[in-house]
């Protein structure tokens, strides 16, 4: 039995829908923040702190994604 090596080729870089994908990620992250905020009323003080910190990181991520959306939109023009 002969074993052949398969050449791994990278997929072509298709960025045509990056803005749309990033917008969905922003929306999903906002929804996660809202759900986390709702669960805070049932959380202990330690859990509340963790939720607050996680939502801060989410806000930073959203800011970065929005900048990336602007860059992608500019590059598509």
């Amino acid at each position: 039995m002969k074993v052949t090596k398969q050449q791994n080729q990278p997929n072509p870089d298709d960025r045509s829908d990056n803005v749309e994908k990033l917008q969905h990620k922003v929306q999903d992250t906002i929804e996660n923040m809202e759900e986390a905020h709702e669960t805070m009323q049932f959380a202990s003080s330690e859990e509340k702190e963790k939720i607050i910190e996680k939502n801060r990181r989410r806000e930073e991520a959203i800011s970065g994604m929005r900048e990336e959306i602007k860059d992608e939109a500019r590059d598509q023009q």
Side-chain angles (χ1 to χ4, degrees):
M1 186 186 310
K2 186 176 180 181
V3 178
T4 59
K5 263 190 158 178
Q6 189 178 42
Q7 294 289 341
N8 289 332
Q9 302 246 339
N11 292 331
D13 189 16
D14 179 12
R15 308 180 116 208
S16 61
D17 61 350
N18 277 8
V19 171
E20 185 178 332
K21 286 179 182 177
L22 286 165
Q23 288 172 333
H24 284 292
K25 283 184 178 183
V26 167
Q27 186 59 41
D28 289 344
T29 304
I30 290 170
E31 289 172 9
N32 289 340
M33 289 176 65
E34 290 170 352
E35 288 174 15
H37 187 71
E38 289 173 12
T39 63
M40 283 179 61
Q41 62 182 324
F42 306 109
S44 68
S45 59
E46 183 179 324
E47 290 170 328
K48 285 179 185 179
E49 267 310 304
K50 288 180 181 180
I51 292 170
I52 290 168
E53 285 302 313
K54 189 160 191 172
N55 276 351
R56 281 191 193 128
R57 290 191 302 273
R58 286 175 171 147
E59 288 172 359
E60 291 173 10
I62 288 170
S63 177
M65 286 186 275
R66 285 183 172 150
E67 286 301 315
E68 196 172 343
I69 288 169
K70 289 177 191 175
D71 291 344
E72 287 291 331
R74 188 173 40 250
D75 289 345
Q76 288 179 3
Q77 291 179 349

